[in-house]
Every structure is written in structure tokens, then in C-alpha cells.
Amino acid sequence: MTEALRPEPTDEELIARHAADPEGAAGRAAVSILLGRYQRRVYVWCHRYVRNPERALELAQEVLLRAYRSLGSFQGRSRFGSWLFAIARNRCLNEIAAPSLLRDDDVELDTLPASDGTPEQMLEELQDEEALRRLLADTLEPEEREALWLRCFERLPVEEITVVMRLDNATGARGLLQRARRKLRAALDRRTP
Amino acid sequence: MTVTPCIPLEELAAVAELPASDPRRAHVAQCPRCGALLDAYARFLEPGAEADAAHVAAADTRLSEFLARTLGAPAPARAPARTAPRTSWWAALFAPAMRPALGFVMAAIVLGGIVVWPRLAGRGPADALRGGSQRATVPTLRITDATLGVAGLRMAWESVADADAYEVRIYSDALAEIARLNANGDTMLIVPPSELSFRPVPGQPLLVRVDARRHGEVIASSPPIPLSVTTTPD
């Protein structure tokens, strides 16, 4: 019963314990507790990307190890969870290719209009991320913008976007992404000289 | 007009708690990039039903073992982080009183998966290849010695049934592979310094892992473990 009453150390307290004794048993024990709190989340996140338990486990190990090695550089300006999330996200992004803004095999390719290549060329000319962001802002509804961003820049699976955005309509993110791409394509067509 | 720049990912969670009138908070609400990342981070903290899957529980056990090996500290008695307390039946299952029993059950499941299942199914370990069935797992190979000193590299590991070759891979701290060494069918490998394809630096943090192969396919792998570079004779 006493264990339930004893307050658990916060992430910040564990990081401080590690900083005070990084190579000692107390410091390593603190990191072990800290990373142990997040290991399941890291694994689940990796699994969402690679859809393979063994590969996800390898990625999660790499993420945890990288976090451990880099903990000395964590300066406490952000939450430990978001710092660790950034490491996991970057590692996962390196693992898979990004789908195009205009075409995506996972979103029912058949429903997309045939392309003569012009919108793709226009898109390639939008090298500047700020210009691309402006185009998305001018063309799409906020929900469509976020879905497309999650798909193309965060490389999240379509089903995952449905959950992340809490979409409860029948088609989930799939329909949203199709609509966003149609609008984007039409906007790029209109820009064609 | 002042344009608020995008928020660094690490700071997004804190910015989301600022007053709605704060320009940085307003930026997050309007920017597809920042909004998407904030939602993704929330999902990271609250994995949902997927976290209850059997493969997650097995991975959780192996990650605890990995941390214990890597940190030289006992596997932590896990508790949910304060940022996202869990209140589901799953949390009750992980209550302190349940941990010993749960650990035993998980170990039994993992052992059963590795040892019993291939035999029951009449399939050899080669069927459990990475990238194969989502249910399959690559068994863990245990490294018993990993030393890199002035005498060179000395590695030893436990043999894996049916393996016809072993491969040692060494990684930098940044997880870039810097050497791959073929040990043929031996369960140990000694490489003199002159034959190493890289120059070890004392104190340099390196990682090493061993893959067991049969007919070229990986049938077991060790997790990466630290390989300390020492200046003393081994």
C-alpha cells in the first residue's frame, strides 16, 4: 500500500537525478524509469509507421538509445515527452518515403483525375515551403490542410490520420485527402499560364 | 503585419497551453504544420486501443530488457507518465500489485512464441523472418562478450540452432553502420586492430549487434548493445 501513496518522481526530477550522476547507478536508474515510462508509446508510434512488430521494435530501441545518449543535451526548455517525440518522429520519417501532395496510392488512385503533368510541374516549382503553405492556406479548408500535411509531411498512414484528427465520418481521412487533392490540383491548373 | 514563425516541435506542447490571445497559440491554430504536429504529439501521448495489442505487450517486455541491459539498471517498474495518466482497464492490469504476475505471463508468452510455436506449427525458425508475417518475431540472440581494446575486437555470443553464419555489425553513436564482420559459423570473433576497417577512439561510444543467419536469411538478432573502446589490454 505504501507504494501507491509514495509520489512518483516527475520527468523533470528524474532528468535532474541523471544530470547529477550521469554515469552512476542512481543516474542510470533514473533514466531507466524515465525511458520506461515512454517505451510503449515510442514502440506504438514506430509501429504505426512501419506496420511490422520486429522493425518497430528495432526502431524503438534506436529511439530510446538515442534519447539516452542525447539526454545531456536536453536543456529542459521543453517537455521531455515532446523532446522524445521529436526524436521518434524524425527516426520514423527517415524510415519511409513521403507520398506526393497530388497522388497517393493509399487514397484510391482511381478517383483522382488523369494528369497531364502540368500540376505536378507547378508543384515542383513551389520549392519554397512558405509558398507551398500559402497555396494550401488559399486553397484548402483548415481540416483539409491538416490532413494533407499529416499525410505528405508527417507521412502518417491514412487510417492514423483519421484517428489523430478524430474524424468520425464514414470515409475518414481518405475522403478528406481526396477532396484536398482535387482542390489543390484545380488550383494548380488555374495557375497554369 | 507581423508573421509568427512556426513553433519548434519540442515547444509545441507548452505553446498549446498559452492564452488564446497569445500570437504563438494563434499561429498553432491556423498553421497546418503546427496543428498537425500538435495533434500527432497528442496521439503519441495517448496511443489508444492499439497500445493494448498483444505485440505491444511483447515489445514492452523486450524494451524493458533492452533498457536494463543498456543502462545496467534493473528494468523499471513502469508507470504511466504524468503527462497522460491512463484510466482504462489496461492501467489496472499494470497496477503495482499485478506487475510480478504480469511479468511472468509476458515472459511465458514470449518464450512460448519463440520456442513452442515453431515446433507446434512444424516450421523452422527461418519462417520467422523480418518482414514476414506480422505475427512472427525474430528470436533474440544473446551477446556474452563485446570488447574493443588495444588487442582488437573480441566478441562472443550464444549459438542459435540452425544458424550457419553469424554477422557482427558495429554502429557509431549516431547509429550509422561503420563495420560489418562475417564470423562464418563461429560463435566468437577476434579481430586484431590492424584488420579493423575503422580506427577506434578510446572513449568513443559504439554499438554492436549480431545477426544469426541461415542460408543468408536472418533467423535471430541481438539488440544493439554498447561497445566501449578501452585503452587497456584485454
Side-chain angles (χ1 to χ4, degrees):
Chain A
M1 292 299 283
T2 51
E3 186 173 353
L5 296 173
R6 193 187 311 141
E8 288 178 0
T10 63
D11 290 355
E12 292 74 23
E13 287 165 350
L14 291 169
I15 291 165
R17 283 186 204 172
H18 170 260
D21 184 19
E23 298 301 323
R28 282 182 283 128
V31 177
S32 182
I33 296 169
L34 179 66
L35 295 179
R37 282 180 181 171
Y38 288 93
Q39 65 186 35
R40 177 180 290 255
R41 291 173 187 146
V42 169
Y43 170 80
V44 170
W45 187 258
C46 295
H47 186 264
R48 283 187 191 130
Y49 278 86
V50 297
R51 302 279 165 187
N52 178 301
E54 201 59 32
R55 185 70 195 118
L57 184 65
E58 286 181 351
L59 284 177
Q61 287 179 347
E62 290 179 16
V63 169
L64 294 171
L65 200 56
R66 190 168 290 191
Y68 170 53
R69 302 263 185 216
S70 309
L71 197 54
S73 67
F74 177 71
Q75 297 179 339
R77 284 200 294 263
S78 60
R79 302 257 172 78
F80 175 77
S82 57
W83 181 78
L84 183 64
F85 172 61
I87 296 175
R89 169 184 169 267
N90 288 339
R91 186 65 192 86
C92 289
L93 288 184
N94 288 335
E95 199 61 21
I96 52 173
S100 156
L101 270 172
L102 293 176
R103 303 191 75 79
D104 187 348
D105 288 349
D106 283 356
V107 189
E108 295 171 11
L109 195 62
D110 292 346
T111 64
L112 291 172
S115 169
D116 60 1
T118 309
E120 279 84 356
Q121 288 166 12
M122 292 287 293
L123 196 61
E124 280 180 17
E125 289 166 11
L126 284 171
Q127 295 293 333
D128 176 13
E129 189 174 301
E130 188 50 45
L132 177 61
R133 206 168 300 189
R134 263 199 310 278
L135 173 70
L136 296 182
D138 293 344
T139 310
L140 306 177
E141 297 297 321
E143 203 175 42
E144 297 163 345
R145 288 201 297 262
E146 181 172 340
L148 204 56
W149 196 275
L150 284 169
R151 181 75 188 116
C152 299
F153 294 92
E154 294 306 309
R155 304 177 196 181
L156 278 181
V158 179
E159 299 74 20
E160 184 63 18
I161 297 171
T162 302
V163 178
V164 165
M165 295 185 65
R166 300 176 182 85
L167 302 171
D168 53 9
N169 55 318
T171 56
R174 199 170 298 276
L176 203 57
L177 286 165
Q178 284 175 3
R179 195 166 68 230
R181 284 196 164 94
R182 266 198 296 272
K183 284 186 180 177
L184 195 58
R185 188 174 284 272
L188 288 165
D189 272 333
R190 282 196 297 275
R191 285 181 171 215
T192 307
Chain B
M1 189 182 80
T2 306
V3 177
T4 306
C6 275
I7 316 296
L9 173 55
E10 294 86 342
E11 297 171 22
L12 268 174
V15 170
E17 293 174 0
L18 293 172
S21 57
D22 189 286
R24 299 179 82 202
R25 167 91 182 268
H27 170 87
V28 171
Q30 293 179 356
C31 172
R33 178 254 181 207
C34 293
L37 281 177
L38 190 60
D39 279 348
Y41 174 58
R43 178 85 168 119
F44 169 74
L45 289 179
E46 285 290 353
E50 189 185 345
D52 298 344
H55 70 89
V56 179
D60 204 29
T61 303
R62 289 173 67 181
L63 285 172
S64 293
E65 294 167 356
F66 168 74
L67 284 178
R69 272 195 309 273
T70 304
L71 298 169
R78 277 180 306 287
R82 288 184 174 189
T83 46
R86 298 178 62 82
T87 53
S88 65
W89 63 269
W90 185 251
L93 195 60
F94 273 90
M98 293 295 288
R99 284 175 192 154
L102 193 63
F104 179 81
V105 170
M106 289 309 155
I109 290 171
V110 171
L111 267 176
I114 292 171
V115 178
V116 180
W117 171 249
R119 294 179 188 176
L120 287 178
R123 296 157 53 180
D127 290 322
L129 297 178
R130 181 176 301 128
S133 162
Q134 293 289 300
R135 196 174 46 191
T137 58
V138 175
T140 301
L141 180 155
R142 199 170 83 84
I143 295 174
T144 54
D145 187 14
T147 311
L148 183 57
V150 291
L153 174 70
R154 190 181 69 209
M155 295 280 309
W157 52 90
E158 292 181 349
S159 67
V160 174
D162 298 328
D164 57 20
Y166 297 92
E167 190 174 57
V168 175
R169 288 190 281 166
I170 299 173
Y171 300 89
S172 72
D173 188 34
L175 298 172
E177 185 176 297
I178 58 174
R180 189 177 287 215
L181 305 160
N182 186 356
N184 298 315
D186 295 335
T187 55
M188 63 178 296
L189 179 71
I190 297 175
V191 183
S194 59
E195 292 182 18
L196 285 173
S197 60
F198 62 99
R199 184 180 294 274
V201 178
Q204 177 187 12
L206 295 175
L207 299 166
V208 65
R209 71 180 301 163
V210 178
D211 288 337
R213 294 176 180 271
R214 188 175 71 168
H215 306 316
E217 303 282 5
V218 176
I219 58 172
S221 278
S222 73
I225 66 167
L227 173 65
S228 297
V229 184
T230 64
T231 54
T232 52
D234 305 310

